[in-house]
Amino acid sequence: MVDEIRWIARIAPVNDASLGLFDSGVGGLTVVRAVQDLLPGEDVIYLGDTARLPYGSKSPETIRQFAAEDVDFLLGKGVKAIVVACNTATAHALPEFWKNCPVPIMGVIEPGVEAALANPDADRIGIIATRGTIGSHAYQHELATRKRGLMIHGIATPLLVPLIEENWIYEDVTKEILRKYLEPLMAKGIDTLMLACTHYPLLIPLLTEILPPDVRLVDSATTCAEHLKKMLEEKDLLSGKTGEGKLEIYLTDLSEQFEELAKRFLRRPTGKVRRAVLTAG
Ligand code: DGL
């Protein structure tokens, strides 16, 4: 199976093949949006594993298995490069993919950390993310490796993804939950808050109301697209096509709710959303 996949990847007209992005759900479409803005000529295939969402509360083994199946699906589509547009999957599975993925692959953590440290005054960093991401210490490790003496405090905020999926992004109850989650970070006097989950950019309006104006919010989607561009340039994989690239969206569970949500994350028409059937590894 793996050989067959490698073969498909090799015979594809590489530069003009699509980019593959995946997430546990539709949150990764925030990254797709940034990629389309920066690399408008590239075709993109997006996979959202909506049937098995959330990844954030699963064990590292399960997350790695799901992520490997997501990668196999995209390789089967002949993609030329892959972005793991899910923080939890990046945290647990990316190092393994670096060893064995036949096409270039990157995640969202390095770009997020780079975005946070782009401000030289970032010293006291708060991170909000799923249990899986916080428990992996991947962000904490990457931050500490890049800058000495940082105060880093990560909080698991598992209630936020369901609230966002329900579109309760302006509700008082969400504001109260956010306040409660952020209390310990405020007590630590953070100057930067990393939104280390694909869904959280949708909470920026509420977060801006709650947090003091001098706390900087960091969302990695734009930096992630910039990293991807650099990776494609280095590997000489940029598309030579002119005109607007195509977007194909696959979800493992199709429901009206997800299609609706997908439009909100992408902020543009999604086109026809297809159902993906993954092969267990
Ligand atoms: N996509 C996940 C992440 O960025 C959030 C949703 C989930 O838990 O699956 O961590």
Side-chain angles (χ1 to χ4, degrees), residues 50-64:
T50 45
R52 302 189 291 192
L53 176 98
Y55 283 10
S57 53
K58 308 272 186 325
S59 68
E61 294 72 30
T62 302
I63 296 162
R64 279 195 281 274

Side-chain angles (χ1 to χ4, degrees), residues 89-151:
T90 300
H92 288 287
L94 189 63
E96 199 51 38
F97 293 142
W98 275 331
K99 285 188 228 146
N100 58 24
C101 184
V103 299
I105 187 161
M106 57 167 279
V108 281
I109 294 182
E110 228 186 292
V113 166
E114 204 169 276
L117 298 183
N119 180 347
D121 295 332
D123 283 323
R124 308 180 70 79
I125 309 214
I127 309 164
I128 52 172
T130 64
R131 279 213 173 91
T133 300
I134 295 296
S136 74
H137 294 282
Y139 270 95
Q140 296 90 321
H141 178 78
E142 189 70 33
L143 282 162
T145 312
R146 284 174 184 243
K147 186 171 175 183
R148 281 195 190 178
L150 288 174
M151 192 284 308

